[in-house]
Amino acid sequence: TVKKLLMTQGLLVQEESKVTVFNEVLTTLQENHQNLESAQTETIAELESVSKQADLLKDTVHKQHAEINFLTKKTVFGSEQADFYATEVEAKIRLLDSGLTQVTEM
């Protein structure tokens, strides 16, 4: 019976050793899982931040596009007005020239 007790004790020591290794592996896996969850949470936060920045950039681009369109239309309108005034000035110059010509002919 002492022999059986020694054998049983040896088996228990082996089993305790296996349980210790198992617990160490389990602890390492749990730590790795927590690290991965933490990294995933950080990554999600970073992606959300980048997404918000992209939305802001998109809004800025749309606003700038609208401003460019407005300025382009304003420039075209201004150019049309300038052409109109230039035509008026040219007409007045011709009128003055013809008036001066008539005065000098008298």
Side-chain angles (χ1 to χ4, degrees), residues 16-93:
E16 281 181 15
S17 177
K18 288 178 185 178
V19 168
T20 300
V21 170
F22 175 80
N23 284 336
E24 289 173 1
V25 169
L26 181 62
T27 300
T28 302
L29 288 172
Q30 287 171 335
E31 289 171 357
N32 289 344
H33 180 70
Q34 287 173 344
N35 291 339
L36 286 172
E37 279 184 336
S38 176
Q40 182 182 24
T41 301
E42 287 177 27
T43 302
I44 289 170
E46 288 174 14
L47 288 172
E48 287 172 347
S49 174
V50 168
S51 176
K52 286 177 185 174
Q53 289 174 353
D55 287 342
L56 289 174
L57 183 59
K58 184 177 83 173
D59 290 345
T60 301
V61 168
H62 284 297
K63 286 177 186 173
Q64 289 176 345
H65 181 21
E67 288 174 11
I68 288 168
N69 281 342
F70 173 76
L71 292 174
T72 301
K73 289 176 183 173
K74 190 175 177 181
T75 302
V76 168
F77 178 72
S79 176
E80 289 170 354
Q81 278 186 319
D83 288 345
F84 173 77
Y85 289 128
T87 304
E88 273 192 24
V89 168
E90 288 171 1
K92 287 180 182 177
I93 289 171

